[in-house]
């Protein structure tokens, strides 16, 4: 790993979002190409069942009505193998994607040394990045970028 990986910024707003193909907690394959026409929120998070990650995903759960009004689908993205128990425990209405080897994380500049860097994207219906930020932005801030 290079030093640049630790200090790089998320992909730029206005740039095309890299396609991905990842399984969800039930083994169903999700692709960005298959979501064209919708706003797509990707929440790269470090770990299931940790305080900040749980709070962040619960905030998106609690803003689900807003996401639906904005024609948005939300996905938590993490390299952990099984997310079904975590998803069920907190009743997330959105899938959690398994990013084996942090391949999608690398494409989205969210790959960390061991766990992903907490990074949130909103990708517009045309596949263009409309919002990108490290940390734990509020769902309302993220969804304000939806078209």
């Amino acid at each position: 790993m290079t030093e640049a990986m630790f200090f790089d910024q998320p992909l730029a707003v206005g740039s095309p979002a890299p396609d991905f193909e990842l399984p969800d907690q039930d083994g169903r394959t999700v692709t960005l190409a298959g979501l064209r026409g919708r706003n797509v929120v990707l929440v790269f998070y470090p770990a299931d069942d940790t305080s900040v990650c749980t709070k962040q995903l619960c905030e998106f759960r609690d803003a689900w009505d807003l996401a639906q009004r904005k024609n948005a689908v939300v996905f938590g993205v993490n390299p952990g193998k099984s997310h079904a128990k975590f998803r069920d425990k907190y009743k997330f209405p959105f899938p959690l994607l398994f990013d084996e080897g942090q391949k999608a994380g690398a494409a989205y500049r969210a790959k960390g040394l061991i766990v992903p860097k907490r990074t949130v994207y909103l990708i517009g219906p045309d596949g263009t990045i409309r919002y990108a930020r490290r940390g734990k932005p509020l769902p309302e801030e993220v969804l304000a970028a939806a078209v």
Side-chain angles (χ1 to χ4, degrees), residues 12-16 128-131:
V13 170
S15 64
T128 300
I129 295 172
R130 300 192 44 82
Y131 180 93

Side-chain angles (χ1 to χ4, degrees), residues 38-107:
R38 307 280 311 266
N39 290 294
V40 177
V41 176
L42 299 178
V43 180
F44 289 90
Y45 68 100
D48 290 356
D49 264 322
T50 58
S51 61
V52 176
C53 295
T54 299
K55 182 175 181 179
Q56 181 175 33
L57 294 173
C58 284
E59 287 172 352
F60 276 96
R61 176 200 64 200
D62 296 345
W64 189 244
D65 287 344
L66 176 60
Q68 298 297 282
R69 288 193 306 273
K70 295 282 193 165
N71 187 34
V73 291
V74 176
F75 298 95
V77 185
N78 177 274
K81 192 130 183 110
S82 175
H83 301 293
K85 287 181 184 177
F86 179 53
R87 182 176 183 250
D88 292 346
K89 180 178 180 180
Y90 292 99
K91 299 179 178 20
F92 298 137
F94 48 84
L96 301 179
L97 304 179
F98 170 47
D99 184 17
E100 185 173 21
Q102 296 190 70
K103 292 178 185 133

Side-chain angles (χ1 to χ4, degrees), residues 41 60 120-122 131 137-146:
V41 176
F60 276 96
V120 180
Y121 287 95
L122 185 134
Y131 180 93
L138 292 174
E140 295 79 7
E141 177 185 328
V142 176
L143 292 166

